Structures are given as structure tokens and as C-alpha cells.
Amino acid sequence: MGGLEDLVDAYAVTVLNGLARGLVLFLIAVGLSLIFGLMDVLNLAHGAVFLLGGYAAVQLAPTGDGFLVALAVAAVLGLLLGGGMAAAVRPIAGRRGHLDQALLTLGASYVLAEIAAIVWGDGYYSPLAPPAVASSVTVLGQAFPAYRLVVIVVGLVLALAVYLLFERTQIGALVRATVADRGMVASLGVNTTVVLVGVFAVGTALAAVGGVLGAPILTVRPGIDRQVLLLALITVVIGGLGSIRGALIGALLIGQVEALGVALLPQFAAFLLFGAMAAVLLVRPAGLFGSLAEAR
Amino acid sequence: MTAAPAGAAPSAAERAATPLLAVRGLHAHYGASHVLQGIDLDVGQGQVVALFGRNGVGKSTLVHAIAGLHRATSGSVTLAGEELVGRPPHWIGRRGLALVPQGRRVFAPLTVEENLRVAARGRGRGGTWTLERVYDLLPRLAERRRNRGDQLSGGEQQMLAIGRALLRDPRIVLLDEPSDGLAPKVVEQVADVLGLLRDEGIPALLVEQNLRMALGLADVVVVMTKGAVVWTGTVDAFRRDPATAHRHLGVG
């Protein structure tokens, strides 16, 4: 039993934890990034949607039973909520600068968070993982919750699905074209409002699904919406606005910086996140995969 | 102030009397500046109309106003008798008006083929222009079909912008300075392609600074200064009247 080997194994578990958190973060960040790329709208209510997803797990699957139902309900609610928010934001999108949008979406986030507080109070909830995956498995000699492996797999599958949809299908091409030049797409006979509402809805549903998936590994509580929103903002700034790949790489990076930071340098963990962001911005001001021209 | 969208469908007689594209008394503003001050302009069936004017006289604003990308303050634009003013750009696009905009505006992150497919989407009407036909006409695009828009040369981007417009099965094409920024040899290639479109009978409004190229393609010349049309006539009449070109365009 070498001490070094134990250390490496312990960090392997930390890396896996970071991967799980990073993939949950991706589910939130990707919608934020695409909505900004498409509509030039920074949706500050995006974290509140994640919070509602978490409470969906608390309400429908507190013991892990009914987890799939919670996922489905969150997805549908996310679609509806996203479509509604797109309609609400559309009239001021791209016209009146970012302050109005910030006020509108921040207001919406307070309303959603307040509704959650009225219904669920200010308690801390940790819904259990689904019974089938509630056990621990041994990874490199360390006990590791099987549910986190499930989060990793589901997160990777969803990330791959979103990536393929965006990069390899005609619908994806239409969305990318709309990100690049909305007016030109409209001139080609496409009602871009439909594209905007669709992306807003899907992006919001992913955040809600992320809330359900993340609930058993995070604590669902008031304020987690703002915390998660901040992480998602850092993620899209690092990855580049309007880029799926950027959101994925950014989220995985933040997941690792967070997990390893807490394990290695707990007193600097918070600083490391912003340090990583500053470092990336110094080298690439538009983020890893963003171009300032395209982000507009 | 905006002209009412056509409520009643125009009668057959009215349709026959109005040209394919008819701009009447069109006004448009950018903030406080009055960019279009009552434009009248026609493009007839099968006609290519060249629009000349110095920089900043409002040519691009006119193109944008016709396409619905810039809101007209008042006046009327009809396409085959249907009012376009007040309509969103996608509605106008679906009516068969295709735009080849200034600066090409190809979708940089999309491949050539994806650019074309986005254009072919949702055009609604069964059309004669297919991807294959566009590739036949513009073989360079077929070679570059897997390349991203931002990997193309200026001339290739222009071909792509034209191919995109063709896949709309256009009733009319608005071309905003297609020769802009291209090397003389490439301008010739673009002119050749535009000649083929003219031979197909596709009507066009061709905004150009390159008079020689445009005069080789057009039937009618329209000259703009400061937001107004100051001269309209045939290409022959324009050539016989060098004073006009000299006075309003600073050439000749």
C-alpha cells in the first residue's frame, strides 16, 4: 500500500466527482449560452429553473422512487416555462440594451424563487438517488456512489445528443445560422421567432432536467439558483457565448477546478474559479470557442 | 403613416397594370436622418434594373426597406400586387423576394451545403431550383460543399449568396453590390453568373458601383442621390447621356 497510490486514487474519485458536477453544470450552461447567442439575451432566470427542477425531485421523488417521473415533469415544465419566457423577452430582445433584459429576467428569477420558497419553505432537501443506483461501487479501491456514475453517463449522453443535434442536423444548421445572422435567415423565409422560442424552450428544459439530476448530489435549498447561475455564467464566459462545445469544455473545466480546488486548496477554491475565468479571458477574450463577431 | 397592408386582393386588371415590383413614395429614416425621401421605382417581369448612386445616398436602405429588414416610414412596395410594407422579412422572403445582401452575409459557421439547405427550407412552393441545379450552375460550390462559409474566398462567398437566393425559387432577386471588394477577374465571373440568371428571365434589382458590369446586364437604369431618384431610363439612354453619370455619380 503505497501512500502515493492512495493519494492518486483519492484524486481519481475527486476527478469523477468534478466530472459529475461539470456535466450537471453543462446542462444549465448550454441553454444560457445558446439563448444569449441567439437572442442576445442573458437569461438571469435560468438558475431559478434549475432550482425548480431540484424541487421537482424533492416533491416527486424524495426517496428516489419516481425519479423518471420527476425528470419528465421537469422537462415538460421547462419547455413551457422557456417558451413563455421567450415570448416575454422577445419584444425587448436586441433592441434596448442589456439593462432592461437583466431587470426582466432577474425579476422573473425572483418570482420563481419566491414561489418555490412559499411552497417548499427554506429547508434543505437532499432527495435520495433512485433505489436501483443508490448503492456504492468501488472505483480504484475507493467507494463511489453509483448514482454519480449514472449522472456522468446521462450527462455525457445528453451532451452528445445536444452536440449532434446542433452540429449534424438541418435543424441544428438552422439554429447556427440564426445565431450567426438572424436577419439573413429571416430573409430566406424562415420565421426566426419559432427558432428562438424553440431554443429557449429546449435550453430551459435542459436546465430543469439538470436540476432533477443534480438534486441527489447537491442540496436543494433557497439560494442555490443564484449560486448555479453564477457558475453557469463563468462557464459560458470561459467557453464562449453561443457555442455548445464551449459550454461543454467550460463546464468540465469548472467542475474540475471546483472539485480539485476544494480537495487541494480549500482556502482558495472560490478564487480559483474566477482565476480560471480571468486566465482564459486574458488569452482569448471571446472565450475558448467564441468569436466576438459571432456572439452578436 | 405606414401604408395599410393590402386588405383586398388586387383585381386581375390591377395586377396586369402594376409592374412585378413597384415602389411608390417610399420614405425611411435612420433615427433623425431622413434616408429615403419618396422613392419611386419599378422592376418589370423579366427585367434587370440597375440602381446607381454614390455611397450613402440610401441604396442599401432601399434594399433593406423592400426586403422588410428596415422599417419604412411611409409609402408602398408591392410584389405582384401584394403590399410588402409592414410585413416581416420572412413573410416577404416566402413571397418570392430573394436577397443577395451587401457583404454576402453567408453563414460563417455553416458549410456551403448547410448554407444552401437553410435557404431551401420552408420555401413552401414546389420549385425548379434544386441543390443539384445550383451546383451545376456554380460548380465551385460543389467542390467546396464541405467547407465552412468563412473558409471561402470573397468570390466563392458571392457565388454562395447567389446560390442561396436561387434556392428560394425567387420571383425577383435584390442584389446589393455583388462586385464589392472582388478582384476584377472575379467580378467577371460574378457578372457571367448574373448573365445566366438574366437569361433565365429572373428579374433583378442590381445595386452596383461597378457601372460597366451593371450596364452589361441591365435593361433599365435608376440613379439615386440623397434619398431620391433623379434619373430613370434605358441603358441606351444612360449611355447617350454622360452628363447624368458625371453629375450624379462623378464618373464619365
Side-chain angles (χ1 to χ4, degrees):
Chain A
M1 290 227 47
L4 184 66
E5 220 168 88
D6 279 353
L7 199 66
V8 169
D9 291 351
Y11 284 125
V13 166
T14 304
V15 167
L16 280 180
N17 270 327
L19 191 55
R21 291 176 73 100
L23 285 163
V24 169
L25 187 55
F26 166 77
L27 294 178
I28 306 153
V30 70
L32 196 67
S33 178
L34 279 185
I35 291 164
F36 187 87
L38 264 181
M39 298 178 82
D40 204 23
V41 167
L42 197 52
N43 179 20
L44 297 175
H46 212 63
V49 174
F50 175 87
L51 181 72
L52 291 183
Y55 280 123
V58 169
Q59 188 67 41
L60 300 169
T63 63
D65 287 316
F67 192 76
L68 291 178
V69 175
L71 273 180
V73 167
V76 171
L77 276 182
L79 283 173
L80 295 176
L81 207 54
M85 282 199 279
V89 170
R90 176 93 177 100
I92 60 166
R95 265 207 226 147
R96 308 190 39 192
H98 288 127
L99 188 60
D100 290 6
Q101 302 166 17
L103 286 174
L104 179 66
T105 58
L106 193 63
S109 85
Y110 282 134
V111 170
L112 292 176
E114 190 57 31
I115 289 172
I118 290 167
V119 177
W120 289 284
D122 57 0
Y124 284 37
Y125 297 94
S126 287
L128 299 177
V133 289
S135 55
S136 280
V137 292
T138 307
V139 176
L140 295 170
Q142 307 270 329
F144 189 76
Y147 178 72
R148 292 187 186 210
L149 290 181
V150 172
V151 170
I152 290 172
V153 171
V154 172
L156 285 175
V157 167
L158 281 174
L160 187 69
V162 170
Y163 178 79
L164 291 178
L165 180 69
F166 192 69
E167 294 288 342
R168 295 275 183 272
T169 69
Q170 288 196 42
I171 296 216
L174 183 61
V175 175
R176 277 179 287 139
T178 311
V179 171
D181 190 338
R182 191 160 77 211
M184 193 60 226
V185 171
S187 270
L188 294 173
V190 177
N191 185 352
T192 51
T193 301
V194 174
V195 180
L196 302 178
V197 170
V199 169
F200 215 122
V202 171
T204 306
L206 283 173
V209 164
V212 177
L213 269 183
I217 57 177
L218 308 160
T219 310
V220 184
R221 62 182 187 279
I224 199 172
D225 49 335
R226 271 166 284 150
Q227 207 177 322
V228 153
L229 178 68
L230 182 62
L231 287 177
L233 286 173
I234 297 175
T235 298
V236 296
V237 167
I238 286 182
L241 288 155
S243 159
I244 301 255
R245 226 177 316 173
L248 181 59
I249 302 299
L252 294 179
L253 192 68
I254 290 298
Q256 291 309 321
V257 169
E258 227 195 348
L260 289 173
V262 170
L264 292 170
L265 299 163
Q267 64 273 46
F268 295 116
F271 166 77
L272 282 177
L273 290 175
F274 292 99
M277 179 171 84
V280 168
L281 290 185
L282 273 179
V283 184
R284 291 190 60 104
L288 293 173
F289 292 95
S291 82
L292 289 173
E294 272 176 39
R296 174 62 196 85
Chain B
M1 289 282 285
T2 309
S11 71
E14 278 170 339
R15 261 202 299 272
T18 33
L20 177 69
L21 182 79
V23 180
R24 294 288 176 268
L26 195 68
H27 289 258
H29 293 76
Y30 259 114
S33 117
H34 195 174
V35 185
L36 300 182
Q37 306 175 2
I39 299 285
D40 291 304
L41 184 154
D42 289 344
V43 180
Q45 199 59 259
Q47 234 179 19
V48 175
V49 174
L51 176 61
F52 297 147
R54 289 182 166 136
N55 283 330
V57 300
K59 302 186 301 294
S60 284
T61 304
L62 175 59
V63 167
H64 282 173
I66 294 171
L69 292 170
H70 186 89
R71 186 177 288 272
T73 327
S74 66
S76 153
V77 178
T78 57
L79 178 63
E82 274 187 300
E83 182 61 53
L84 304 186
V85 170
R87 297 289 189 178
H90 66 89
W91 190 92
I92 295 170
R94 282 183 198 168
R95 292 287 146 167
L97 186 136
L99 178 64
V100 179
Q102 191 168 34
R104 353 268 188 232
R105 288 170 75 171
V106 305
F107 303 121
L110 275 64
T111 65
V112 167
E113 185 140 328
E114 284 173 334
N115 264 276
L116 294 173
R117 284 194 188 282
V118 166
R121 234 190 131 68
R123 55 186 166 174
R125 312 171 277 129
T128 53
W129 284 95
T130 60
L131 211 55
E132 289 67 36
R133 204 165 152 221
V134 167
Y135 282 148
D136 279 348
L137 180 73
L138 306 165
R140 190 77 188 123
L141 292 186
E143 290 167 32
R144 304 282 258 150
R145 66 202 292 167
R146 304 262 168 258
N147 286 100
R148 279 169 51 116
D150 53 9
Q151 295 168 331
L152 305 182
S153 69
E156 289 166 342
Q157 289 192 349
Q158 192 60 62
M159 298 297 177
L160 180 52
I162 292 170
R164 212 167 49 175
L166 289 177
L167 276 167
R168 303 294 313 152
D169 273 316
R171 271 180 172 154
I172 184 168
V173 182
L174 308 186
L175 296 133
D176 196 353
E177 304 210 14
S179 76
D180 188 32
L182 301 180
K185 247 196 168 143
V186 184
V187 172
E188 271 175 43
Q189 292 169 10
V190 170
D192 287 346
V193 170
L194 296 182
L196 292 173
L197 302 196
R198 187 196 50 195
D199 297 345
E200 289 273 342
I202 300 174
L205 178 63
L206 173 60
V207 177
E208 257 306 336
Q209 302 275 10
N210 186 330
L211 299 201
R212 206 173 67 85
M213 166 193 162
L215 289 174
L217 291 162
D219 306 296
V220 172
V221 172
V222 174
V223 179
M224 265 178 84
T225 62
K226 291 221 161 184
V229 170
V230 290
W231 195 93
T232 303
T234 63
V235 169
D236 285 340
F238 183 81
R239 286 192 204 272
R240 281 196 305 268
D241 182 14
T244 295
H246 186 72
R247 184 153 16 105
H248 299 302
L249 306 171
V251 295

